Amino acid sequence: MLDLTYEAPKPKVISGAKEDWELVIGMEVHAQVASKAKLFSGASTTFGAEPNSNVAFIDAGMPGMLPVINEFCVEQAVRTGLGLKAEINLFSAFDRKNYFYPDLPQGYQISQLYHPIVGEGEVLVDMAPGVARLVRIERIHIEQDAGKSIHDMDPHMSFVDLNRTGVALMEIVSRPDIRGPEEAAAYVVKLRQILRYLGTCDGNMQNGNLRADVNVSVCRPGQYEKYQATQDFAHLGTRCEIKNMNSMRFIQQAIDVEARRQIAILEDGGSVDQETRLFDPDKGETRSMRSKEEAHDYRYFPCPDLLPLEIEQDWVDGIAKTLPELPDEKKARFVSDFGLTEYDASVLTAEAEAAAFFEDVATGRDGKLAANWVINELFGRLKKEDHDITNSPVSAAQLGGIIDLISKGDISGKIAKDLFEIVYTEGGDPAEIVESRGMKQVTDTGAIEKVVDEIIEANPSQVEKAKINPKLAGWFVGQVMKATGGKANPKAVNEIVAKKLG
């Protein structure tokens, strides 16, 4: 359990022309399972292959072809459920969801409606230090993806690429617990972070490996609390689903646009139709895609080609033992073990690789000093040059070496920044660079005192001013640091200057 204490953020209130309204949002996130093979075939899932080159007979809907379950995809779904503190269903089953689309060769999608593999779980969505929203997960089911229709290669024809067909997806369905656009984006960020820690989805939104359908409705203040008390959806407004969102910025924009559209309809005396809509970021509007189908519209029925999926508790327990330390637990440990602020711990645990790098640097050293160097110096430089921690020119050992030299008093903070620049651009061992280039800090008080005496003797008028205004002693400190090339120990310089000036 986390040692950190959170309060829930306030719901987003939108002022209409006549009344105030509150947002209610639920999310259906489709996460591509990190697997080399598809859900029911051995075809490759490699992204960017030649169109229609990663297609098995079953993916193409060839007659007589039967699906064979990929056990690893099931394991990844269970692993995800465990990471979201969810109930794992030892019995689950596959259903056919029937609809026609050119990039769905079988004429149906194999999914799970009645008996999903994962039940209720939760995600803690960080909004600010000490502020978080607990979003309940309703279910996770596994299903096969459809292909891709391409409409912009020819003015008269459309093309179909079946490489994605049959790729395993986890559909992660939340309860309507999200209360604002920022929370919705933060929820997707947090979910993506957990999936990447678990290794069950790479979270690449550009490639479509993580995409969200956003259900948006509005209600009058106080209605949501009635829903919470009764779980009766009649207290909430009619929802519209915005499909296939793959950008945090667009998710926020789409929710705001759709909410205002619904509010305008309601305040004009109309009613909102339940439907599926698409967001057009160029026009800043959502437009109708199709009326929202209900389950019976898809003629769901148990897939006759697949037996129910029964798994053993021992198998689930074995997967649980391999789970890594997840972001919330890691953040809490960084706060308690290294004395970090919650904000710094959040930055350092955003990616598993960054967290591991920091821990290598901080172990056995001053945690706050290590965090400062990793976040401000290293992360800042990497971001500026569009690198990430996996291809950092400075290793954890090298950065730790710089911090060791600071802690021992061998170099000052200013020299450390010069040293960091050398290590970043040229490489090398920090201690050896300091020694070979004469960068070591002067700690000999006798030598420092001699420089102080020379500067005081050469500037009698400044001495008189400093005796009247002690703040001017900083001028002498600066002159000493300049005279010593920044190598004098700043603490010793300050003490000697103060003593000399009385």
Side-chain angles (χ1 to χ4, degrees):
M1 293 295 292
L2 295 180
D3 294 328
L4 306 175
T5 302
Y6 294 96
E7 63 179 44
K10 298 288 187 287
K12 175 74 177 285
V13 176
I14 297 179
S15 298
K18 300 176 181 177
E19 302 175 283
D20 285 342
W21 299 83
E22 289 183 358
L23 275 165
V24 181
I25 301 161
M27 306 280 278
E28 298 168 13
V29 174
H30 294 83
Q32 180 176 321
V33 175
S35 168
K36 293 180 180 178
K38 296 182 180 180
L39 183 55
F40 298 118
S41 81
S44 172
T45 60
T46 303
F47 181 81
E50 284 293 312
N52 299 303
S53 61
N54 292 344
V55 186
F57 288 136
I58 182 71
D59 305 325
M62 294 296 180
M65 296 297 105
L66 296 174
V68 178
I69 191 75
N70 180 340
E71 181 182 335
F72 181 69
C73 291
V74 177
E75 180 182 333
Q76 291 287 67
V78 170
R79 189 174 175 84
T80 299
L82 292 169
L84 299 179
K85 302 179 177 62
E87 176 188 355
I88 306 300
N89 297 321
L90 301 183
F91 175 92
S92 62
F94 290 97
D95 307 290
R96 285 188 182 180
K97 178 182 180 182
N98 296 272
Y99 63 96
F100 171 79
Y101 211 69
D103 56 21
L104 190 70
Q106 294 166 311
Y108 58 83
Q109 178 189 38
I110 300 178
S111 183
Q112 293 183 312
L113 175 66
Y114 302 110
H115 302 286
I117 191 164
V118 177
E120 295 185 349
E122 62 184 41
V123 176
L124 188 67
V125 182
D126 306 285
M127 298 303 299
V131 179
R133 173 78 69 194
L134 185 68
V135 177
R136 296 169 297 164
I137 300 298
E138 179 182 319
R139 57 186 277 147
I140 302 174
H141 60 261
I142 45 179
E143 62 186 20
Q144 56 182 174
D145 202 356
K148 182 180 180 182
S149 295
I150 303 161
H151 307 294
D152 56 1
M153 288 180 64
D154 188 281
H156 306 293
M157 293 187 292
S158 291
F159 298 87
V160 175
D161 180 5
L162 298 181
N163 281 348
R164 288 190 68 94
T165 306
V167 166
L169 299 178
M170 297 177 287
E171 182 169 339
I172 305 168
V173 182
S174 85
R175 297 280 186 184
D177 291 348
I178 301 165
R179 307 303 312 280
E182 298 80 9
E183 282 183 29
Y187 167 76
V188 177
V189 168
K190 185 60 173 288
L191 192 57
R192 178 181 182 273
Q193 179 191 34
I194 294 170
L195 295 174
R196 284 171 58 82
Y197 263 73
L198 291 167
T200 57
C201 174
D202 67 14
N204 190 322
M205 299 184 79
Q206 283 185 315
N207 293 354
N209 295 358
L210 188 78
R211 51 194 193 268
D213 298 340
V214 188
N215 289 287
V216 181
S217 67
V218 296
C219 66
R220 298 283 291 116
Q223 291 299 107
Y224 187 82
E225 287 70 25
K226 292 179 181 177
Y227 154 73
Q228 288 284 53
T230 62
Q231 295 300 299
D232 183 355
F233 284 98
H235 294 295
L236 302 181
T238 302
R239 71 183 189 275
C240 291
E241 182 182 42
I242 309 170
K243 291 289 287 185
N244 291 328
M245 306 295 297
N246 66 348
S247 156
M248 307 307 175
R249 183 163 59 93
F250 289 164
I251 285 173
Q252 294 183 68
Q253 290 176 2
I255 290 171
D256 190 63
V257 165
E258 175 60 19
R260 294 181 188 282
R261 183 189 75 87
Q262 293 183 21
I263 290 168
I265 291 172
L266 294 169
E267 292 196 340
D268 201 35
S271 61
V272 174
D273 295 326
Q274 184 173 332
E275 61 182 350
T276 300
R277 301 181 69 85
L278 292 175
F279 176 61
D280 186 334
D282 294 326
K283 294 183 179 179
E285 64 182 23
T286 64
R287 60 175 183 267
S288 183
M289 181 181 175
R290 59 176 181 263
S291 62
K292 178 63 178 177
E293 294 88 346
E294 301 295 343
H296 62 260
D297 294 322
Y298 289 113
R299 294 191 302 112
Y300 275 100
F301 60 84
C303 182
D305 294 334
L306 288 161
L307 290 169
L309 188 61
E310 296 188 56
I311 58 180
E312 300 291 334
Q313 186 62 49
D314 287 348
W315 187 63
V316 174
D317 293 342
I319 296 170
K321 290 176 183 176
T322 68
L323 293 186
E325 183 181 38
L326 291 170
D328 288 338
E329 288 70 31
K330 193 178 288 290
K331 182 174 79 170
R333 183 169 61 80
F334 280 9
V335 169
S336 62
D337 289 4
F338 297 111
L340 305 186
T341 64
E342 188 183 333
Y343 173 80
D344 283 352
S346 296
V347 172
L348 291 165
T349 56
E351 298 285 349
E353 297 83 1
F357 186 98
F358 164 74
E359 195 152 9
D360 285 345
V361 174
T363 300
R365 301 185 176 98
D366 182 326
K368 291 181 180 178
L369 182 60
N372 181 54
W373 274 89
V374 172
I375 294 172
N376 297 325
E377 301 301 328
L378 182 60
F379 285 2
R381 183 65 177 271
L382 291 174
K383 184 177 181 180
K384 184 179 177 182
E385 300 188 1
D386 202 23
H387 292 314
D388 61 35
I389 200 68
T390 58
N391 53 20
S392 169
V394 178
S395 69
Q398 287 173 316
L399 191 56
I402 294 173
I403 293 170
D404 287 341
L405 291 167
I406 298 170
S407 300
K408 287 191 292 184
D410 288 351
I411 58 174
S412 64
K414 181 181 180 303
I415 295 173
K417 291 190 176 185
D418 295 337
L419 176 59
F420 176 82
E421 180 64 27
I422 294 168
V423 173
Y424 191 96
T425 55
E426 302 175 24
D429 178 75
E432 291 177 4
I433 293 169
V434 166
E435 203 63 50
S436 64
R437 303 198 185 189
M439 299 172 72
K440 202 165 186 180
Q441 186 169 246
V442 177
T443 55
D444 180 353
T445 54
I448 295 172
E449 190 169 355
K450 183 181 178 185
V451 176
V452 172
D453 287 340
E454 290 172 356
I455 290 171
I456 285 175
E457 187 177 341
N459 298 277
S461 62
Q462 284 294 107
V463 172
E464 293 305 316
K465 290 177 184 177
K467 286 181 178 179
I468 297 168
N469 182 3
K471 289 183 180 179
L472 294 178
W475 182 86
F476 290 93
V477 173
Q479 293 300 305
V480 174
M481 296 305 293
K482 185 177 178 181
T484 59
K487 295 177 186 176
N489 184 306
K491 184 181 178 184
V493 173
N494 274 285
E495 289 174 354
I496 292 168
V497 167
K499 181 181 174 183
K500 294 284 182 180
L501 293 176

